[in-house]
Amino acid sequence: MGKTEGQKLEEKLCFKPKHIAKDHPKEIEKAIEFAEGYKTFLDHSKIERECVQYSVAMAEKAGYKPFGRGIKGKSGDKFYYVNRGKNLFLVTLGKKPLNEGIHFNIAHIDSPRIDLKPNPLYETEELAYFKTHYYGGIKKYQWATIPLALHGRIMTAEGKAIDLDFGEKEGDPVLVITDLLPHLGRSQGERKLSEGIKGEELNVLLGSLPVEDTEVKEAFKLKILSILHDQYGITEKDFMRSELTLVPAQKAVDVGLDNSMVGAYGQDDKVCAYTALMAELESKNPEYTSLTALVDKEEIGSTGNTGMESDALLHFIEDLAECEGERVRDILRNSLCLSSDVNAAYDPTFSDVYEKQNSSFFNHGPVLTKYTGVRGKGGSNDASAETMQKVIGYMEEAGVPWQIGELGKVDEGGGGTIAMFMGNMDVDTVDLGVAVLSMHAPFELTAKLDVYYTYKAFLAFNK
Ligand code: MN
Ligand code: MN
């Protein structure tokens, strides 16, 4: 039976993003395969330093050379630059001269977590603990009674770096924040959910044995110090020369009876970091020079000299411009940037907070987020119609299904991304990324088809 006039009109005029599996069933296997590399990447990237190290190894294998000032490169040449161990800038020189603009793809590689306080170690009632201060937006109660691993770097007085990933290797003990048993949880149950576990209750249990010396006052604390000294050669003062953090000890896993999803810590925003990185590594002779940046500190406002509020990226662009004798302002105003970050996938269980027509859904492809912000788009980059046209154009030309997304109902909450900082630099910018369920939880979810098609969108952008 033929289509009715109304159906034909509907097809012609209406926009209805479809479930990718319905339109591209053959791609499911490829998406599942692509997720294997992604899961390995996540397991090696629990903190930004590790992510940079792992990504640099991948880049070197793909032929990237360390960037140096004054390099004379030609189209197709690939360079990388590391800022303070926590940012990675990757460049593939394009066919067009730099002053026609760069295609930026920027994702953040820091994720919410539990940082140690500068002076963290204490004992009480024959138990040893770390005091902590959480990093980024978390629901604190989610971080109790889950296995935690200790990651980070300690600098010795002599300037030697000691890197830790305690709790990750097979057979390693893990650490944990305790919670109250329900039998004694009556008054705790009356607290607001946001105070189910309070900030100062995020204490991490380290041990329950003393050193064998009755003359020592804090034998349980000393026991932990002696173990750390044996293992890493450090003393208590070295905590003040460290960046140590607790992250979920669990590895990335497949989720669903249909194996369609990835469950892991830190997918905001390592899902965009990985897909951007893969697209960058594979870009051969792009029209425009591509610059893929993996950045830090997004979760606490992009502050510091490894966050996007700093001039670190600008200085790198200045060095790049110098190589070709171009003016930075010409490059920037002709550039196009994907601020590649995740959006909240529609969660039917909590449908109240979403406005369905402008929400992103699992398996509907990369999410184009025109604006973020709070209370009337406050703090948002708010991409222009022209920018939307260009980015939608790249995706449609490559046959990549995509969807739009908004971060929940108007005035329900909100958030921001690094888009505003690229906008401040005079670059046309829009957010594009993957829809995530349980965002900022210790165990976040993405759909494999979305991960795969976000990579494909980035490939199209780098063509
Ligand atoms: Mn993010
Ligand atoms: Mn986030």
Side-chain angles (χ1 to χ4, degrees):
M1 222 178 66
K3 285 178 184 149
T4 64
E5 285 308 308
Q7 283 173 320
K8 282 186 211 159
L9 198 61
E10 189 183 32
E11 212 164 84
K12 188 175 158 195
L13 300 183
C14 294
F15 174 63
K16 282 209 183 76
K18 275 192 249 164
H19 196 288
I20 297 177
K22 290 180 189 162
D23 273 4
H24 307 272
K26 291 206 184 87
E27 301 294 293
I28 298 173
E29 274 314 307
K30 287 187 208 159
I32 289 175
E33 201 185 304
F34 186 77
E36 290 305 306
Y38 172 46
K39 286 186 291 173
T40 308
F41 176 83
L42 287 171
D43 291 341
H44 289 90
S45 302
K46 294 252 176 120
I47 58 170
E48 55 280 353
R49 282 183 200 276
E50 294 167 359
C51 186
V52 166
Q53 281 164 17
Y54 191 73
S55 304
V56 164
M58 286 171 76
E60 283 178 341
K61 233 169 107 187
Y64 284 72
K65 301 269 182 292
F67 176 80
R69 288 181 68 181
I71 276 177
K72 284 274 167 275
K74 54 178 193 315
S75 159
D77 283 357
K78 290 170 173 284
F79 301 104
Y80 73 90
Y81 177 82
V82 174
N83 173 28
R84 296 173 169 89
K86 296 177 177 185
N87 297 159
L88 176 59
F89 305 149
L90 297 152
V91 175
T92 305
L93 296 179
K95 289 183 215 147
K96 291 180 189 286
L98 262 188
N99 63 7
E100 290 193 35
I102 290 173
H103 274 196
F104 290 97
N105 192 343
I106 306 182
H108 69 92
I109 52 174
D110 62 316
S111 300
R113 61 190 189 220
I114 312 283
D115 285 349
L116 297 199
K117 290 194 182 190
N119 184 18
L121 186 59
Y122 71 102
E123 73 162 68
T124 177
E125 309 305 330
E126 304 180 326
L127 295 170
Y129 289 94
F130 277 147
K131 288 204 158 293
T132 68
H133 195 142
Y134 64 96
Y135 172 99
I138 62 166
K139 290 165 117 177
K140 296 185 265 296
Y141 69 87
Q142 293 178 332
W143 293 74
T145 69
I146 59 166
L148 297 171
L150 183 64
H151 286 242
R153 169 165 289 189
I154 305 165
M155 293 301 295
T156 65
E158 296 73 35
K160 201 180 104 203
I162 300 163
D163 288 328
L164 264 71
D165 65 343
F166 182 84
E168 291 290 352
K169 281 182 277 307
E170 195 69 37
D172 266 3
V174 295
L175 307 176
V176 72
I177 294 164
T178 59
D179 194 2
L180 207 47
L181 62 167
H183 317 66
L184 298 179
R186 196 170 55 83
S187 41
Q188 184 195 28
E190 253 126 66
R191 296 180 186 180
K192 288 195 300 183
L193 187 61
S194 61
E195 291 174 358
I197 298 277
K198 296 178 189 172
E200 288 291 352
E201 291 170 343
L202 291 169
N203 300 319
V204 182
L205 185 57
L206 301 172
S208 61
L209 297 174
V211 291
E212 288 171 40
D213 186 333
T214 48
E215 297 305 305
V216 174
K217 253 211 206 128
E218 295 186 302
F220 293 83
K221 174 178 161 177
L222 192 58
K223 177 75 176 177
I224 296 300
L225 277 174
S226 77
I227 291 167
L228 288 172
H229 188 260
D230 288 349
Q231 225 162 325
Y232 305 108
I234 61 163
T235 69
E236 191 171 19
K237 200 194 256 184
D238 292 318
F239 282 122
M240 286 138 233
R241 283 185 279 257
S242 76
E243 289 175 278
L244 292 172
T245 190
L246 291 141
V247 295
Q250 197 186 354
K251 302 250 185 294
V253 292
D254 299 317
V255 174
L257 289 174
D258 57 3
N259 188 21
S260 63
M261 296 165 278
V262 172
Y265 164 72
Q267 298 200 69
D268 171 9
D269 184 32
K270 258 96 65 175
V271 67
C272 295
Y274 182 70
T275 44
L277 175 67
M278 292 302 283
E280 165 66 44
L281 298 188
E282 279 168 40
S283 108
K284 292 280 178 288
N285 260 305
E287 283 300 307
Y288 294 91
T289 293
S290 66
L291 198 169
T292 300
L294 307 184
V295 301
D296 182 29
K297 293 283 188 283
E298 193 278 338
E299 296 293 356
I300 58 167
S302 295
T303 48
N305 59 10
T306 55
M308 278 300 290
E309 267 220 86
S310 91
D311 288 338
L313 180 61
L314 179 65
H315 293 160
F316 178 70
I317 298 164
E318 284 172 358
D319 288 344
L320 211 56
E322 204 175 75
C323 296
E324 297 201 7
E326 304 284 6
R327 293 196 317 172
V328 175
R329 73 184 72 154
D330 293 334
I331 298 172
L332 291 177
R333 68 165 73 100
N334 290 324
S335 289
L336 185 58
C337 176
L338 299 180
S339 158
S340 297
D341 207 343
V342 298
N343 202 331
Y346 187 82
D347 188 337
T349 305
F350 301 102
S351 55
D352 288 7
V353 300
Y354 299 87
E355 190 270 284
K356 206 169 169 186
Q357 186 171 317
N358 285 283
S359 295
S360 56
F361 292 80
F362 262 20
N363 295 308
H364 284 205
V367 187
L368 195 55
T369 304
K370 186 181 185 303
Y371 52 84
T372 56
V374 286
R375 288 182 298 278
K377 301 187 178 181
S380 170
N381 165 69
D382 206 357
S384 68
E386 291 87 340
T387 305
M388 296 293 278
Q389 182 264 330
K390 281 184 196 156
V391 174
I392 291 171
Y394 283 119
M395 290 193 282
E396 301 222 312
E397 204 187 302
V400 175
W402 56 277
Q403 57 181 328
I404 45 93
E406 194 184 28
L407 191 54
K409 277 182 179 166
V410 177
D411 289 340
E412 185 66 48
T417 63
I418 63 94
M420 61 179 123
F421 307 112
M422 286 308 285
N424 291 348
M425 276 168 69
D426 194 18
V427 175
D428 286 329
T429 305
V430 66
D431 284 295
L432 185 70
V434 177
V436 172
L437 281 172
S438 305
M439 197 197 292
H440 283 206
F443 188 75
E444 302 176 310
L445 293 176
T446 54
K448 290 178 183 176
L449 276 168
D450 292 333
V451 178
Y452 182 57
Y453 272 94
T454 300
Y455 154 71
K456 286 199 156 194
F458 293 163
L459 275 180
F461 183 66
N462 285 352
K463 239 182 102 184

